[in-house]
Amino acid sequence: MMKKYFFNNDISYAEKSYVFFVVITQIVLVLSFLGRVAVTGINYNSLTVIGAWAAAFLITVIFLLTRSSAFCSTALVLVMTCVFFPLMFFTGGGILGDSSVWLIYNVVLICNILPFRIRVRNIFLVFTDVVAIICCTLGIKYPKAILSFTVRQAYMISFITLILVISAIATVIHLQNMTNDYRIALLNKQNKEIEGLIASQNRFFSSMSHEIRTPINTIIGLNEMILREDISDEIAEDAVNIRAAGRMLLNTVNDILDMSKFQAGDMKIVADNYNTGNMLSEIVGMLWLKAKEKNLDFHINVSPDVPAELRGDEVRIKQILMNVLNNAIKYTKEGSVTLSVECNKLEDGTVNMIYTVKDTGKGIRKEDIPYLFTAFRRGDEEQNRYIEGTGLGLSIVKELVDLMGGRITVNSVYTKGSTFIVEIPQKVVDFKGIGELDMERRHVINTGERYRQKFDAPE
């Protein structure tokens, strides 16, 4: 029965510690009483011991009725400190008796069963020291108030108490270790089960993401064919909405697939040579129209000394910048979004690429910044509930930046705008500077939504 109690996960550790000590304490007091009666007979000292047992028994009854381990453990410590120890001191030979052993046992009780903070426990320990000092002072001042035993009796009683207290402390420590070992084994088992569930979840997300992307791409492709037909304005408007929704759905599926790869540890960085100017041109080309649709100014500032050719995972770098820029455009109602690119030379033919994305959007609350890169969480949910997205974008950005040995920082003033700084170390293939790039002029495009067929070539 006791074993089931000790290994019951529904019972708090504080309650178990109290039960350990209160049971052992009552056993020790009974055995100590019997030993004293055998050595000295019935006297004030042995009656003090059986009185302490009666008090511990009464506290146990209160515990069974109230299930309040905090109250009962405090009551037990106070009884042992304020009543039991002083009586044992004056009826058991003072400091030369076994009262000092009981004082040590009381300290062990305070450190193990009081469910309070360390500061409160320290107060109880200081209080115990004060009681001991008062008893010793009174014993020195009034030596006749101390009832003494013969030397033989004092040795025997002290020896019995010492053995009982040492055995009690060792037993409680052993029981606590057994309980802790059981808890650790249970936690390890639960962790393995959780890891198995997470692995199954990741496999599910990964396979489902792959399966879902095929029909989504088919829908987007067929819808694009519809847009290229000679159709009415109403159908064209519906097709444009389908294209926007399809792309959003595809982005969501891709984000979920990436998150499952990160959680499974399968995300890999594939390094290859790439042209810096072409990469930036592709990014700007994909987002320029989106910014113009919202009447936002889209500025690109590229430092001329940025190397023309680098080595790294171009696809993932574009994914990072697309996510950050897309977020900036999405949360900016008016004003501008600016992408600045510069670099700092490092050792061993490496540069630290610094991509800065600045917007004049609604900004981020100070309290939301620590959770900015947490998956499925978006800051200021009430204000942003109508904005599309899952909250995965910045989480994926953080994972990718960390995977490439870089870092991302954010500075924001709420209602004024935000600045994201992404730093990624890259190997240099060609140290020749990229030169002056006028991407804004390169990407001044027609913002019309309709696709217009220019010629028909049936053969």
Side-chain angles (χ1 to χ4, degrees), residues 118-352:
I118 295 177
R119 182 180 298 176
V120 179
R121 291 180 181 177
N122 289 339
I123 292 173
F124 273 89
L125 290 173
V126 171
F127 178 69
T128 301
D129 292 338
V130 170
V131 171
I133 291 170
I134 292 173
C135 289
C136 289
T137 303
L138 292 175
I140 293 171
K141 191 171 183 179
Y142 305 104
K144 293 182 179 181
I146 298 176
L147 302 179
S148 301
F149 298 119
T150 64
V151 174
R152 180 176 176 276
Q153 289 174 333
Y155 268 99
M156 292 183 68
I157 290 174
S158 295
F159 176 75
I160 292 171
T161 303
L162 185 63
I163 294 299
L164 288 174
V165 168
I166 290 175
S167 300
I169 294 174
T171 301
V172 171
I173 291 174
H174 176 67
L175 289 172
Q176 288 179 330
N177 288 338
M178 284 178 58
T179 304
N180 288 334
D181 291 342
Y182 173 76
R183 292 172 65 196
I184 291 171
L186 185 62
L187 286 173
N188 290 335
K189 180 181 177 182
Q190 291 174 342
N191 286 337
K192 288 181 179 178
E193 291 176 353
I194 291 171
E195 288 173 1
L197 290 172
I198 291 174
S200 299
Q201 170 189 287
N202 290 337
R203 286 194 298 270
F204 171 77
F205 280 138
S206 180
S207 58
M208 285 302 295
S209 298
H210 280 296
E211 295 295 330
I212 293 173
R213 282 197 298 182
T214 301
I216 292 176
N217 283 321
T218 303
I219 293 169
I220 293 174
L222 292 174
N223 185 71
E224 191 67 28
M225 296 301 295
I226 292 174
L227 279 169
R228 297 184 183 192
E229 297 289 338
D230 186 13
I231 54 179
S232 65
D233 290 341
E234 291 79 6
I235 295 176
E237 183 180 355
D238 292 339
V240 168
N241 291 333
I242 291 172
R243 181 173 63 183
R247 286 175 178 173
M248 187 183 72
L249 182 58
L250 184 60
N251 288 335
T252 301
V253 171
N254 288 333
D255 286 347
I256 293 173
L257 177 59
D258 285 341
M259 283 304 300
S260 66
K261 285 182 179 180
F262 280 120
Q263 292 175 356
D266 294 335
M267 181 63 76
K268 305 295 182 185
I269 296 299
V270 182
D272 198 2
N273 298 346
Y274 65 92
N275 184 280
T276 311
N278 291 342
M279 182 199 72
L280 294 173
S281 182
E282 289 178 25
I283 293 170
V284 174
M286 285 185 279
L287 292 174
W288 188 277
L289 179 61
K290 191 169 185 178
K292 292 302 178 184
E293 287 175 346
K294 295 186 69 175
N295 294 319
L296 299 177
D297 293 329
F298 193 8
H299 303 300
I300 304 94
N301 303 317
V302 182
S303 177
D305 62 349
V306 169
E309 193 170 358
L310 298 171
R311 182 172 180 82
D313 195 330
E314 179 185 6
V315 174
R316 294 304 179 186
I317 293 174
K318 283 197 291 188
Q319 184 179 358
I320 290 170
L321 296 179
M322 289 281 289
N323 265 311
V324 178
L325 284 166
N326 189 55
N327 250 32
I329 295 170
K330 186 164 54 175
Y331 290 100
T332 302
K333 290 184 178 180
E334 58 183 15
S336 64
V337 173
T338 303
L339 169 64
S340 301
V341 184
E342 55 186 344
C343 68
N344 292 329
K345 290 185 178 180
L346 303 175
E347 297 178 355
D348 302 326
T350 304
V351 293
N352 188 39

Side-chain angles (χ1 to χ4, degrees), residues 70-112:
F71 171 79
C72 293
S73 58
T74 305
L76 180 62
V77 167
L78 289 175
V79 167
M80 295 290 287
T81 303
C82 300
V83 180
F84 180 66
F85 170 73
L87 289 177
M88 291 298 291
F89 183 88
F90 287 104
T91 63
I95 198 69
L96 300 177
D98 62 343
S99 58
S100 57
V101 179
W102 288 111
L103 183 66
I104 293 171
Y105 185 74
N106 191 49
V107 170
V108 175
L109 279 179
I110 292 172
C111 294
N112 281 273

